[in-house]
Amino acid sequence: MLGARRLEALDGRPLNWRGVSAVVTSSLRRRFGFVALAIAALCCFSPASFAALLVDFKTLPISPSDPEVRWSAGGLVAAPSANGSQGNGDGLMPIGIQTVGGLIIETPLTVVAPAQGGSINLLNGGSTTFSDVTLILSNLNATGNASAFSGLVDQPIGGGSFKLQSTSQGVGGPVDLLVGTIASGNISGIQNSDAGSVLSGEVTYTGGLILNALNTALGKAAGTPAAGGSLTFSLLDIDNKLTISAASGRLSDFSANATGQFGTPVVPEPASLSLLAIGAFGILLRRRNQY
């Protein structure tokens, strides 16, 4: 997966990120060629801090005509402007008959929320899957002009917020699964290509069922914010190749498919977190097997 950071299990033990990156680069080379491969190298081998997987998200099925994100003068947005990340109310139905619209997410944490579409994967370390999830991004606006260097383009974006909400088909309508703030970020890629990535600055998680489960696993009080997180995702099938607008100085408008991860700081030891480590590793293996 393009844009993925190096991962550790939630108990601090390193995962085999070289093996993961090999799967990533092999898949990207087959599908997108060396342009996407170069972006993957930038993301996988950058000096970014190690992060533990908190949420893995993707769209299923992928539809280039139904993008997950859009970039314009109004900033980087997801639902409802980009209908690929807008749930359409079928999250309690079998995944095989769900239609385009909404994300499928998985966390290594056990989240008991069947009424909101949560499905616990007992054979995958107790991880939890939600489908038909809505992603909302707010106030991720340009903080300056885009820059170009050696064939790469980079667009700084300012602080904003995000929200992952469960399917509207669930009991009580959409429920917050994960909510937080994003300090800053960058949209990067190879100039004139149709693939790129978004790398955030510090993410602070402030609410949602997944944060509640994380606090429970760590023995912390409910509602305790979790700082030091990250958001990393790929941009694929970009409809307007990455260029800098001569008129505005920022990246030109585009829409794209997105798949990525939310991370949280590595938590030292507690043996009680070993099941979470298994869940995180199982998610990576499941994604690898899809390739």
Side-chain angles (χ1 to χ4, degrees):
M1 184 184 68
L2 211 138
R5 291 190 181 188
R6 294 172 289 182
L7 301 175
E8 290 187 354
L10 285 174
D11 65 352
R13 293 177 297 175
L15 295 176
N16 183 6
W17 61 268
R18 286 188 175 87
V20 174
S21 65
V23 174
V24 170
T25 54
S26 174
S27 174
L28 289 173
R29 184 163 49 198
R30 289 196 306 269
R31 184 176 177 189
F32 299 104
F34 287 95
V35 169
L37 183 58
I39 297 172
L42 286 174
C43 297
C44 291
F45 302 104
S46 67
S49 59
F50 284 82
L53 174 65
L54 181 62
V55 171
D56 178 272
F57 67 88
K58 60 186 176 182
T59 181
L60 191 68
I62 294 175
S63 173
S65 62
D66 294 278
E68 282 72 60
V69 295
R70 296 186 188 276
W71 168 255
S72 68
L76 184 67
V77 298
S81 299
N83 58 327
S85 54
Q86 175 68 58
N88 57 14
D90 59 4
L92 299 185
M93 300 171 66
I95 290 179
I97 62 174
Q98 291 182 26
T99 57
V100 173
L103 306 175
I104 180 168
I105 73 169
E106 188 170 2
T107 174
L109 296 157
T110 298
V111 182
V112 182
Q116 285 72 46
S119 176
I120 298 173
N121 308 301
L122 296 177
L123 299 180
N124 195 30
S127 66
T128 309
T129 300
F130 293 87
S131 59
D132 192 44
V133 172
T134 295
L135 170 64
I136 300 171
L137 300 174
S138 303
N139 300 317
L140 292 176
N141 303 313
T143 56
N145 289 341
S147 59
F149 179 76
S150 296
L152 302 176
V153 292
D154 180 80
Q155 172 68 62
I157 53 179
S161 62
F162 77 90
K163 184 180 292 187
L164 289 170
Q165 292 186 316
S166 66
T167 179
S168 61
Q169 192 180 20
V171 176
V175 171
D176 291 343
L177 298 176
L178 191 62
V179 179
T181 60
I182 303 170
S184 61
N186 293 81
I187 304 172
S188 305
I190 296 177
Q191 197 163 16
N192 296 312
S193 73
D194 61 356
S197 64
V198 175
L199 302 176
S200 77
E202 182 176 18
V203 172
T204 300
Y205 303 109
T206 57
L209 298 181
I210 293 174
L211 177 62
N212 292 345
L214 178 63
N215 281 327
T216 298
L218 299 179
K220 295 184 177 181
T224 302
S230 61
L231 168 60
T232 306
F233 62 88
S234 64
L235 299 171
L236 304 175
D237 304 312
I238 295 175
D239 64 346
N240 185 22
K241 294 185 178 182
L242 292 176
T243 57
I244 298 176
S245 169
S248 66
R250 60 173 177 78
L251 280 184
S252 299
D253 295 359
F254 66 79
S255 299
N257 289 129
T259 177
Q261 299 168 341
F262 287 92
T264 190
V266 174
V267 181
E269 288 213 52
S272 60
L273 294 181
S274 60
L275 287 179
L276 303 184
I278 294 171
F281 187 65
I283 290 173
L284 290 176
L285 287 179
R286 178 180 298 186
R287 182 174 284 269
R288 183 183 69 177
N289 290 338
Q290 290 175 348
Y291 292 117

